[in-house]
């Protein structure tokens, strides 16, 4: 076989290399000094340095030097020993950490100043995080002042999120740190790369002291959060700071913002006002992830939600604010006897375009909020643009089987009674032809069915799929990928005089 030049040479090279025990590899670092420093053995370090046969900056396998370990352990004496021997205060390990950055995690002013006196760069951030951010997180004022005195930039930001020391201090509610940063001219409204500024972090974390300091320093209380971005479309403005406070249940923070001039009637892209947010926050569904708030939205550490509701209206919030319109969807049967869209929308949701806070309170059977809103000027008779009334919403129009966001039937019954006594028409029908009786069937609320019929509800009204409330109960409705029937509701309706659609049809005769 003809010899092919170049093939055998690398193999031979590797063979000789391994036989020689790897003599051609890079020399292993002398890790004796960093290992002694890691164990806190000052005497061993001093002895090794005195012998003069070791490089004071010799790193371990990960690039960590003895000075790194001294800073990490907050050992100022060991650090001084190493610095006096000429250790590099700007050495970087494999992760880009410097001794100064590690010292800032402990925020020992003496150690930090020692490193800075020896030439540590207060702005060096090989790992992307300037040392001042670490000092701000600890809440140690003396350490922060030391960094600033040696020239650290008060507005230095990390390279991956654009977050500053002011943002960290705000999120941690470190008021003394905030004071120092603000005294040194920290920019108040500068946003991170994600669009959050310091006050947004304070509001999200319910950091009251931080929020008050930032507001006093001129932070804009009416700024909106970053909105959703979609390809080839402009960004939609997000909710206001006040909205964020309310939706997170931070009612005391909301009062702080209101007192500072926050717009009480600010809207999001869907037209939801702060009052809408507040009513929705009181809904049980909003508290499933918050074990500290009970099912009625009461948190003893926060301002009472109904008191906040009064504050909002007193400062100009519209108690009859409406959400943005939502296109009305109409249903039909196909020739095959199935819905044109699979499951009918009306059996699986409700059109809330134009909903008022009172409508949302009725949907959640929040009788306390309904009463409070009425006292504040809300009109209970207003319906959504699809003509969903408070009685329909309380009865169960839009109810989803198994949903935990609805309060018990007895609460819903009280909401129905309250809405009816406020003048809402018991026989009103929405754009899909459904009435409160249809809603009570969805909810399987026999007490509500009985009360509605007793209040004059007609049992013969049919929706646009030709279903009366009795048809809906007997034939069932398609929800959660299955047909749900209400046998007890059907029996009750029949006992109250309801009559099924002729022939019990589920499809109009001309479609069969």
């Amino acid at each position: 076989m003809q010899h092919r030049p170049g093939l055998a040479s690398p193999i031979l090279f590797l063979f000789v290399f391994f036989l020689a025990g790897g003599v051609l590899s890079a020399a292993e670092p002398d890790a004796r000094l960093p290992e002694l420093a890691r164990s806190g053995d000052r005497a061993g370090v001093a002895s090794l340095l005195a012998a003069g046969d070791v490089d004071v900056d010799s790193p371990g396998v990960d690039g960590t030097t003895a000075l790194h370990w001294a800073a990490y352990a907050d050992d100022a004496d060991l650090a001084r020993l190493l610095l006096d021997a000429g250790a590099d205060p700007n050495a970087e390990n494999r992760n880009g950490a410097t001794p100064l950055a590690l010292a800032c995690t402990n925020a020992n002013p003496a150690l930090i100043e020692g490193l800075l006196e020896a030439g540590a760069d207060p702005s060096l951030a090989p790992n992307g995080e300037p040392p001042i951010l670490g000092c701000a997180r600890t809440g140690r004022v003396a350490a922060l002042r030391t960094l600033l005195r040696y020239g650290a930039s008060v507005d230095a930001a990390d390279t991956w999120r654009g977050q500053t020391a002011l943002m960290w201090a705000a999120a941690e509610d470190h008021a003394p740190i905030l004071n120092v940063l603000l005294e040194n001219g920290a920019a108040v409204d500068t946003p991170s790369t994600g669009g959050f500024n310091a006050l947004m972090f304070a509001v999200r974390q319910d950091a009251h002291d931080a929020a008050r300091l930032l507001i006093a320093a001129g932070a804009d209380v009416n700024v909106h959060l970053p909105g959703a971005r979609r390809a080839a479309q402009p960004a939609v403005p997000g909710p206001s700071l006040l909205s964020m406070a309310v939706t997170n249940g931070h009612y005391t923070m909301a009062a702080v913002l209101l007192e500072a001039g926050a717009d009480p009637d600010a809207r999001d892209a869907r037209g939801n006002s702060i009052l809408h947010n507040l009513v929705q926050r009181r809904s049980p569904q909003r508290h499933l992830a918050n074990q500290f708030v009970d099912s009625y939205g009461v948190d003893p550490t926060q301002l009472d939600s109904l008191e906040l509701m009064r504050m909002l209206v007193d400062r100009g919030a519209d108690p009859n604010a409406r959400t943005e319109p939502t296109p009305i969807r109409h249903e039909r049967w196909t020739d095959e006897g199935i819905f044109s869209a699979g499951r009918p929308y009306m059996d699986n949701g409700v059109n809330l375009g134009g909903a008022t806070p009172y409508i949302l309170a009725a949907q959640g059977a929040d009788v306390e909020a309904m009463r409070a809103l009425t006292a504040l000027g809300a009109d209970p008779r207003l319906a959504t643009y699809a003509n969903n009334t408070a009685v329909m919403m309380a009865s169960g129009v839009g109810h989803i089987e198994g949903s935990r966001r609805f309060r018990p039937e007895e609460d819903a019954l009280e909401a129905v009674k309250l809405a009816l006594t406020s003048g809402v028409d018991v026989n009103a029908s929405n754009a899909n032809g459904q009435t409160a009786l249809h809603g009570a069937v969805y909810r399987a609320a026999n007490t509500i069915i009985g009360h509605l019929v007793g209040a004059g509800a007609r049992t013969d009204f049919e929706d646009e799929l030709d279903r009366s409330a009795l048809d809906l109960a007997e034939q069932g409705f398609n929800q959660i990928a299955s047909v749900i029937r209400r046998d007890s509701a059907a029996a009750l309706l029949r006992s109250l005089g309801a009559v099924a659609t002729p022939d019990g049809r589920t499809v109009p005769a001309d479609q069969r």
Side-chain angles (χ1 to χ4, degrees), residues 211-497:
R212 289 187 177 96
L213 283 171
L214 291 165
I215 291 169
D220 183 2
V221 294
N222 284 307
V223 67
H224 281 246
L225 276 63
R229 294 183 179 273
R230 297 180 180 176
Q233 293 183 4
V236 178
S240 66
L241 275 177
L242 186 55
S243 173
M244 179 168 68
V246 170
T247 54
N248 281 286
H250 300 159
Y251 302 143
T252 304
M253 176 65 77
V256 170
L257 295 171
L258 273 175
E259 290 166 356
D263 182 359
D265 209 33
R267 310 295 177 91
D268 64 18
R270 295 183 178 180
N272 288 294
S273 69
I274 309 301
L275 283 175
H276 287 103
N277 300 150
L278 182 55
V279 170
Q280 290 173 320
R281 173 64 197 184
R282 286 174 54 88
S283 168
Q285 185 184 39
R286 297 284 178 167
H287 309 308
L288 296 180
N290 187 349
Q291 61 181 326
F292 301 106
V293 182
D294 72 20
S295 62
Y296 287 84
V298 177
D299 182 344
T301 69
Q302 296 290 343
L303 175 72
D304 179 72
S305 60
L306 297 181
E307 178 59 31
L308 177 60
M309 185 179 290
R310 285 186 282 273
M311 289 179 64
L312 286 163
V313 176
D314 286 346
R315 284 166 171 77
D318 181 3
N320 292 308
R322 290 181 177 273
T323 57
E324 288 296 304
T326 302
I328 296 172
R329 298 175 55 176
H330 290 285
E331 313 282 0
R332 67 179 181 85
W333 295 96
T334 66
D335 291 339
E336 293 77 22
I338 59 175
F339 295 104
S340 57
R343 294 183 294 169
Y345 174 76
M346 74 174 82
D347 289 351
N348 294 272
V350 61
N351 189 319
L352 287 175
T356 63
Y358 187 91
I359 289 285
L360 297 184
Q363 182 187 38
D366 189 347
V367 175
E368 283 186 321
M370 292 168 70
R371 289 197 177 104
L373 286 164
T374 302
L376 292 168
D379 185 349
R381 296 165 298 179
L382 291 178
T384 69
Y385 296 136
N387 205 43
N388 288 298
T389 68
V391 172
M392 292 180 200
M393 301 308 300
S395 296
V397 170
H399 181 90
I400 303 298
E401 182 80 1
S403 172
R404 291 186 289 174
R405 72 184 180 93
F406 297 98
R407 290 195 172 107
E409 183 175 330
E410 56 266 30
D411 293 337
L413 176 60
E414 288 305 308
V416 168
K417 291 178 179 178
L418 180 59
L420 286 173
T421 59
S422 299
V424 182
D425 183 3
V426 70
N427 283 311
S429 59
N430 64 18
N432 298 114
Q434 294 203 316
T435 66
L437 269 180
H438 288 87
V441 170
Y442 286 129
R443 188 189 276 274
N446 288 357
T447 60
I448 295 177
I449 290 173
H451 187 81
L452 290 171
V453 173
R458 290 176 54 177
T459 61
D460 59 338
F461 280 12
E462 297 178 1
D463 62 26
E464 62 186 3
L465 295 175
D466 303 301
R467 303 175 303 180
S468 67
L470 179 56
D471 294 331
L472 197 66
E474 288 186 333
Q475 298 162 10
F477 47 92
N478 194 332
Q479 213 178 73
I480 320 177
S482 62
V483 175
I484 302 170
R485 291 181 174 82
R486 302 296 193 202
D487 294 334
S488 64
L492 175 59
L493 284 164
R494 283 191 176 277
S495 73
L496 294 171

Side-chain angles (χ1 to χ4, degrees), residues 125-130 133 156-163 193:
N127 64 354
E129 182 179 283
L133 269 68
D158 65 51
T159 57
W160 54 90
R161 294 188 182 92
Q163 294 176 357
T193 53

Side-chain angles (χ1 to χ4, degrees), residues 122-134 137 152-168 187 190-194 196:
S123 301
L124 184 62
N127 64 354
E129 182 179 283
I132 193 170
L133 269 68
R137 281 197 297 271
S153 171
V154 71
D155 289 322
D158 65 51
T159 57
W160 54 90
R161 294 188 182 92
Q163 294 176 357
T164 65
L166 194 71
M167 296 173 192
W168 274 103
T190 298
S192 68
T193 53
F196 262 57

